[in-house]
Amino acid sequence: MQNQIKPIHWATVSLLGFIWGSTFLVQKLALSGITPFWLAATRITMGAILLTVIWQMRGGKLFETPPTRLNWFAVFIVGSFSSAFPFMLLSWGQQHVSSGFTGVSMAAVALMVLPLAHVFVPDSRMTLDKLAGVVIGFIGVALLVGGTAFASTNADLEWAGRIACLSAALCYSISTITMRGLPKIDPIGLAAVMVIVGAAVSITTAIFVEGAPQLMDAKTFGYLLILGVFPTALANLLLVFVVRSAGPVFMSLVNYQVPVWSIVLGALVLSEPLPPSMLYALILILCGMAISQWKALRDLF
């Protein structure tokens, strides 16, 4: 399966960057009315219901050829590591770390994906330009976040919160690598099964850790509905499309955009100040993306 980067792929990762960049804002608002694990479980379940309806309306087909037990195990890994585990880790970790550290953690996905793809994905070998681009982009994100990236919150469980955020980044990396290796599969079916698995895992964990869910108010439900439809259901469809057609390394570029949109939307919606390093950080991020995908850009233009 060869990577063929097209304009639609660039448009899709840009849209994903905006969708996921706005997630932290909505999730922070939702946490005022629901516990972290039930937040993750509820948004995943909402996304699962929507995607399952769409999938069944299209016939409910998944694998194009008879699947093996290894194929089903890989789907379970993708579902667990793309939604259930990282959503729960981030929901819990955000209580104990700064938002800046969360942003840097998500940018670290690209650093994790590159060596994993080199080992496990034959057409995504690590090259000097890819490595340089990823590192430059990460430096740009760190500059954008600034001093809050590693500033202490003085929370008792801050160390555990940081491990949780970095573990979420590793989960995303593993899921994209595993997804790339699946045989021919219906993209909508895969997106649906991913969140179905994620819903089952997250609901079980939420019951075990936090007990039965509590009643929520209408505002919290509205926030969860937004999280279920856009950064869960729609984003999973777009994620499957990009990873399967353009590869995990290209998909990882979206993680540089997430903290950018998070900060911009925070300024627009919450009137938070924009960091003075914004322009320099954007230049580094864009340069990093261009260097790491220089061949794709050259073929495009």
Side-chain angles (χ1 to χ4, degrees), residues 124-157:
S124 295
R125 297 301 184 190
M126 182 164 54
T127 59
L128 184 59
D129 55 343
K130 286 182 180 180
L131 178 61
V134 166
V135 171
I136 291 172
F138 182 80
I139 293 173
V141 171
L143 178 63
L144 174 66
V145 175
T148 62
F150 303 102
S152 176
T153 61
N154 296 316
D156 292 337
L157 292 175

mmCIF file of all heavy atoms in Angstrom, residues 124-157:
data_model
loop_
_atom_site.group_PDB
_atom_site.id
_atom_site.type_symbol
_atom_site.label_atom_id
_atom_site.label_comp_id
_atom_site.label_asym_id
_atom_site.label_seq_id
_atom_site.Cartn_x
_atom_site.Cartn_y
_atom_site.Cartn_z
ATOM 1 N N SER A 124 6.704 3.588 5.073
ATOM 2 C CA SER A 124 6.825 4.801 5.897
ATOM 3 C C SER A 124 8.179 4.826 6.600
ATOM 4 O O SER A 124 8.279 5.013 7.806
ATOM 5 C CB SER A 124 5.688 4.876 6.917
ATOM 6 O OG SER A 124 4.437 5.021 6.296
ATOM 7 N N ARG A 125 9.231 4.608 5.828
ATOM 8 C CA ARG A 125 10.572 4.584 6.408
ATOM 9 C C ARG A 125 10.992 5.965 6.903
ATOM 10 O O ARG A 125 10.650 6.984 6.315
ATOM 11 C CB ARG A 125 11.585 4.090 5.368
ATOM 12 C CG ARG A 125 11.351 2.654 4.905
ATOM 13 C CD ARG A 125 11.397 1.684 6.060
ATOM 14 N NE ARG A 125 11.262 0.291 5.622
ATOM 15 C CZ ARG A 125 11.080 -0.722 6.463
ATOM 16 N NH1 ARG A 125 11.006 -0.509 7.757
ATOM 17 N NH2 ARG A 125 10.957 -1.953 5.997
ATOM 18 N N MET A 126 11.741 5.965 7.999
ATOM 19 C CA MET A 126 12.229 7.213 8.566
ATOM 20 C C MET A 126 13.412 7.717 7.751
ATOM 21 O O MET A 126 14.353 6.982 7.484
ATOM 22 C CB MET A 126 12.646 7.010 10.021
ATOM 23 C CG MET A 126 13.124 8.275 10.705
ATOM 24 S SD MET A 126 13.170 8.117 12.531
ATOM 25 C CE MET A 126 14.180 6.649 12.733
ATOM 26 N N THR A 127 13.337 8.971 7.321
ATOM 27 C CA THR A 127 14.416 9.605 6.573
ATOM 28 C C THR A 127 14.868 10.850 7.324
ATOM 29 O O THR A 127 14.204 11.307 8.258
ATOM 30 C CB THR A 127 13.943 9.999 5.163
ATOM 31 O OG1 THR A 127 12.832 10.906 5.273
ATOM 32 C CG2 THR A 127 13.510 8.772 4.363
ATOM 33 N N LEU A 128 16.001 11.389 6.896
ATOM 34 C CA LEU A 128 16.551 12.561 7.580
ATOM 35 C C LEU A 128 15.606 13.757 7.498
ATOM 36 O O LEU A 128 15.430 14.484 8.481
ATOM 37 C CB LEU A 128 17.913 12.923 6.974
ATOM 38 C CG LEU A 128 18.662 14.078 7.657
ATOM 39 C CD1 LEU A 128 18.917 13.745 9.120
ATOM 40 C CD2 LEU A 128 19.978 14.366 6.928
ATOM 41 N N ASP A 129 14.968 13.951 6.319
ATOM 42 C CA ASP A 129 14.069 15.096 6.196
ATOM 43 C C ASP A 129 12.819 14.913 7.055
ATOM 44 O O ASP A 129 12.321 15.880 7.656
ATOM 45 C CB ASP A 129 13.693 15.342 4.728
ATOM 46 C CG ASP A 129 13.094 14.109 4.060
ATOM 47 O OD1 ASP A 129 13.270 13.012 4.601
ATOM 48 O OD2 ASP A 129 12.462 14.257 2.995
ATOM 49 N N LYS A 130 12.287 13.691 7.140
ATOM 50 C CA LYS A 130 11.132 13.456 8.008
ATOM 51 C C LYS A 130 11.483 13.700 9.464
ATOM 52 O O LYS A 130 10.728 14.354 10.206
ATOM 53 C CB LYS A 130 10.615 12.028 7.836
ATOM 54 C CG LYS A 130 9.869 11.778 6.535
ATOM 55 C CD LYS A 130 9.345 10.350 6.486
ATOM 56 C CE LYS A 130 8.589 10.086 5.191
ATOM 57 N NZ LYS A 130 8.080 8.685 5.127
ATOM 58 N N LEU A 131 12.647 13.188 9.887
ATOM 59 C CA LEU A 131 13.072 13.363 11.272
ATOM 60 C C LEU A 131 13.273 14.843 11.593
ATOM 61 O O LEU A 131 12.813 15.336 12.633
ATOM 62 C CB LEU A 131 14.356 12.583 11.533
ATOM 63 C CG LEU A 131 14.961 12.715 12.937
ATOM 64 C CD1 LEU A 131 13.973 12.206 13.981
ATOM 65 C CD2 LEU A 131 16.275 11.953 13.024
ATOM 66 N N ALA A 132 13.955 15.556 10.684
ATOM 67 C CA ALA A 132 14.201 16.980 10.907
ATOM 68 C C ALA A 132 12.889 17.759 10.971
ATOM 69 O O ALA A 132 12.700 18.625 11.836
ATOM 70 C CB ALA A 132 15.090 17.533 9.795
ATOM 71 N N GLY A 133 11.969 17.451 10.063
ATOM 72 C CA GLY A 133 10.695 18.147 10.043
ATOM 73 C C GLY A 133 9.893 17.915 11.305
ATOM 74 O O GLY A 133 9.301 18.854 11.860
ATOM 75 N N VAL A 134 9.865 16.670 11.778
ATOM 76 C CA VAL A 134 9.115 16.340 12.994
ATOM 77 C C VAL A 134 9.701 17.066 14.202
ATOM 78 O O VAL A 134 8.968 17.612 15.034
ATOM 79 C CB VAL A 134 9.111 14.813 13.211
ATOM 80 C CG1 VAL A 134 8.644 14.470 14.618
ATOM 81 C CG2 VAL A 134 8.213 14.131 12.188
ATOM 82 N N VAL A 135 11.026 17.079 14.307
ATOM 83 C CA VAL A 135 11.683 17.747 15.441
ATOM 84 C C VAL A 135 11.437 19.254 15.398
ATOM 85 O O VAL A 135 11.127 19.878 16.423
ATOM 86 C CB VAL A 135 13.194 17.434 15.444
ATOM 87 C CG1 VAL A 135 13.907 18.294 16.481
ATOM 88 C CG2 VAL A 135 13.436 15.955 15.725
ATOM 89 N N ILE A 136 11.554 19.862 14.214
ATOM 90 C CA ILE A 136 11.314 21.311 14.085
ATOM 91 C C ILE A 136 9.867 21.646 14.442
ATOM 92 O O ILE A 136 9.592 22.624 15.153
ATOM 93 C CB ILE A 136 11.640 21.783 12.656
ATOM 94 C CG1 ILE A 136 13.151 21.707 12.411
ATOM 95 C CG2 ILE A 136 11.138 23.216 12.423
ATOM 96 C CD1 ILE A 136 13.544 21.967 10.971
ATOM 97 N N GLY A 137 8.933 20.821 13.981
ATOM 98 C CA GLY A 137 7.536 21.049 14.312
ATOM 99 C C GLY A 137 7.275 20.942 15.805
ATOM 100 O O GLY A 137 6.527 21.744 16.379
ATOM 101 N N PHE A 138 7.909 19.971 16.459
ATOM 102 C CA PHE A 138 7.736 19.814 17.896
ATOM 103 C C PHE A 138 8.297 21.009 18.651
ATOM 104 O O PHE A 138 7.694 21.490 19.628
ATOM 105 C CB PHE A 138 8.416 18.533 18.367
ATOM 106 C CG PHE A 138 8.253 18.266 19.841
ATOM 107 C CD1 PHE A 138 7.085 17.712 20.321
ATOM 108 C CD2 PHE A 138 9.256 18.587 20.737
ATOM 109 C CE1 PHE A 138 6.913 17.468 21.679
ATOM 110 C CE2 PHE A 138 9.109 18.359 22.089
ATOM 111 C CZ PHE A 138 7.934 17.793 22.565
ATOM 112 N N ILE A 139 9.454 21.505 18.206
ATOM 113 C CA ILE A 139 10.032 22.701 18.830
ATOM 114 C C ILE A 139 9.073 23.889 18.687
ATOM 115 O O ILE A 139 8.908 24.694 19.602
ATOM 116 C CB ILE A 139 11.403 23.024 18.205
ATOM 117 C CG1 ILE A 139 12.420 21.938 18.564
ATOM 118 C CG2 ILE A 139 11.904 24.388 18.673
ATOM 119 C CD1 ILE A 139 13.757 22.078 17.850
ATOM 120 N N GLY A 140 8.418 23.963 17.528
ATOM 121 C CA GLY A 140 7.445 25.031 17.309
ATOM 122 C C GLY A 140 6.291 24.955 18.287
ATOM 123 O O GLY A 140 5.850 25.976 18.834
ATOM 124 N N VAL A 141 5.799 23.741 18.540
ATOM 125 C CA VAL A 141 4.710 23.571 19.504
ATOM 126 C C VAL A 141 5.174 23.952 20.906
ATOM 127 O O VAL A 141 4.454 24.633 21.648
ATOM 128 C CB VAL A 141 4.190 22.120 19.483
ATOM 129 C CG1 VAL A 141 3.208 21.876 20.623
ATOM 130 C CG2 VAL A 141 3.524 21.824 18.152
ATOM 131 N N ALA A 142 6.382 23.512 21.281
ATOM 132 C CA ALA A 142 6.913 23.846 22.604
ATOM 133 C C ALA A 142 7.059 25.353 22.761
ATOM 134 O O ALA A 142 6.764 25.919 23.831
ATOM 135 C CB ALA A 142 8.255 23.153 22.819
ATOM 136 N N LEU A 143 7.494 26.038 21.698
ATOM 137 C CA LEU A 143 7.622 27.495 21.738
ATOM 138 C C LEU A 143 6.255 28.151 21.859
ATOM 139 O O LEU A 143 6.082 29.142 22.580
ATOM 140 C CB LEU A 143 8.329 27.983 20.466
ATOM 141 C CG LEU A 143 8.499 29.509 20.309
ATOM 142 C CD1 LEU A 143 9.375 30.056 21.429
ATOM 143 C CD2 LEU A 143 9.116 29.835 18.950
ATOM 144 N N LEU A 144 5.283 27.604 21.150
ATOM 145 C CA LEU A 144 3.922 28.148 21.191
ATOM 146 C C LEU A 144 3.338 28.049 22.595
ATOM 147 O O LEU A 144 2.765 29.010 23.122
ATOM 148 C CB LEU A 144 3.029 27.385 20.204
ATOM 149 C CG LEU A 144 1.533 27.726 20.221
ATOM 150 C CD1 LEU A 144 1.322 29.158 19.756
ATOM 151 C CD2 LEU A 144 0.756 26.757 19.340
ATOM 152 N N VAL A 145 3.485 26.894 23.208
ATOM 153 C CA VAL A 145 2.946 26.697 24.548
ATOM 154 C C VAL A 145 3.707 27.519 25.571
ATOM 155 O O VAL A 145 3.136 28.056 26.516
ATOM 156 C CB VAL A 145 2.973 25.194 24.911
ATOM 157 C CG1 VAL A 145 2.526 24.971 26.342
ATOM 158 C CG2 VAL A 145 2.073 24.405 23.962
ATOM 159 N N GLY A 146 5.018 27.632 25.360
ATOM 160 C CA GLY A 146 5.826 28.489 26.217
ATOM 161 C C GLY A 146 6.078 27.887 27.590
ATOM 162 O O GLY A 146 6.150 26.667 27.755
ATOM 163 N N GLY A 147 6.153 28.764 28.585
ATOM 164 C CA GLY A 147 6.516 28.339 29.934
ATOM 165 C C GLY A 147 5.522 27.401 30.572
ATOM 166 O O GLY A 147 5.859 26.669 31.514
ATOM 167 N N THR A 148 4.280 27.388 30.083
ATOM 168 C CA THR A 148 3.280 26.506 30.695
ATOM 169 C C THR A 148 3.450 25.055 30.271
ATOM 170 O O THR A 148 2.771 24.182 30.800
ATOM 171 C CB THR A 148 1.852 26.952 30.312
ATOM 172 O OG1 THR A 148 1.690 26.851 28.887
ATOM 173 C CG2 THR A 148 1.598 28.377 30.750
ATOM 174 N N ALA A 149 4.349 24.830 29.310
ATOM 175 C CA ALA A 149 4.516 23.460 28.812
ATOM 176 C C ALA A 149 4.952 22.521 29.928
ATOM 177 O O ALA A 149 4.439 21.413 30.062
ATOM 178 C CB ALA A 149 5.526 23.437 27.678
ATOM 179 N N PHE A 150 5.914 22.948 30.731
ATOM 180 C CA PHE A 150 6.444 22.090 31.786
ATOM 181 C C PHE A 150 6.352 22.732 33.167
ATOM 182 O O PHE A 150 6.938 22.237 34.122
ATOM 183 C CB PHE A 150 7.894 21.716 31.468
ATOM 184 C CG PHE A 150 8.048 21.043 30.125
ATOM 185 C CD1 PHE A 150 8.523 21.742 29.026
ATOM 186 C CD2 PHE A 150 7.681 19.718 29.957
ATOM 187 C CE1 PHE A 150 8.647 21.127 27.790
ATOM 188 C CE2 PHE A 150 7.797 19.097 28.725
ATOM 189 C CZ PHE A 150 8.286 19.801 27.635
ATOM 190 N N ALA A 151 5.601 23.854 33.248
ATOM 191 C CA ALA A 151 5.414 24.510 34.535
ATOM 192 C C ALA A 151 4.602 23.618 35.460
ATOM 193 O O ALA A 151 3.667 22.944 35.035
ATOM 194 C CB ALA A 151 4.703 25.845 34.344
ATOM 195 N N SER A 152 4.960 23.606 36.722
ATOM 196 C CA SER A 152 4.286 22.742 37.683
ATOM 197 C C SER A 152 2.960 23.348 38.134
ATOM 198 O O SER A 152 2.838 24.568 38.310
ATOM 199 C CB SER A 152 5.187 22.520 38.901
ATOM 200 O OG SER A 152 4.523 21.757 39.885
ATOM 201 N N THR A 153 1.973 22.492 38.298
ATOM 202 C CA THR A 153 0.675 22.916 38.836
ATOM 203 C C THR A 153 0.627 22.723 40.347
ATOM 204 O O THR A 153 -0.358 23.100 40.990
ATOM 205 C CB THR A 153 -0.460 22.099 38.205
ATOM 206 O OG1 THR A 153 -0.273 20.712 38.527
ATOM 207 C CG2 THR A 153 -0.484 22.273 36.696
ATOM 208 N N ASN A 154 1.680 22.099 40.896
ATOM 209 C CA ASN A 154 1.775 21.803 42.329
ATOM 210 C C ASN A 154 0.693 20.835 42.803
ATOM 211 O O ASN A 154 0.401 20.748 44.001
ATOM 212 C CB ASN A 154 1.716 23.091 43.164
ATOM 213 C CG ASN A 154 2.893 24.006 42.894
ATOM 214 O OD1 ASN A 154 4.040 23.545 42.824
ATOM 215 N ND2 ASN A 154 2.630 25.299 42.730
ATOM 216 N N ALA A 155 0.083 20.139 41.867
ATOM 217 C CA ALA A 155 -0.913 19.128 42.233
ATOM 218 C C ALA A 155 -0.197 17.888 42.759
ATOM 219 O O ALA A 155 0.894 17.538 42.301
ATOM 220 C CB ALA A 155 -1.775 18.768 41.032
ATOM 221 N N ASP A 156 -0.823 17.219 43.728
ATOM 222 C CA ASP A 156 -0.204 16.040 44.330
ATOM 223 C C ASP A 156 0.041 14.933 43.306
ATOM 224 O O ASP A 156 1.029 14.206 43.389
ATOM 225 C CB ASP A 156 -1.086 15.505 45.461
ATOM 226 C CG ASP A 156 -1.134 16.445 46.654
ATOM 227 O OD1 ASP A 156 -0.195 17.252 46.801
ATOM 228 O OD2 ASP A 156 -2.100 16.373 47.438
ATOM 229 N N LEU A 157 -0.867 14.815 42.352
ATOM 230 C CA LEU A 157 -0.758 13.749 41.353
ATOM 231 C C LEU A 157 -0.302 14.282 39.995
ATOM 232 O O LEU A 157 -0.605 13.681 38.965
ATOM 233 C CB LEU A 157 -2.100 13.027 41.216
ATOM 234 C CG LEU A 157 -2.542 12.201 42.429
ATOM 235 C CD1 LEU A 157 -3.938 11.633 42.216
ATOM 236 C CD2 LEU A 157 -1.548 11.084 42.732
#
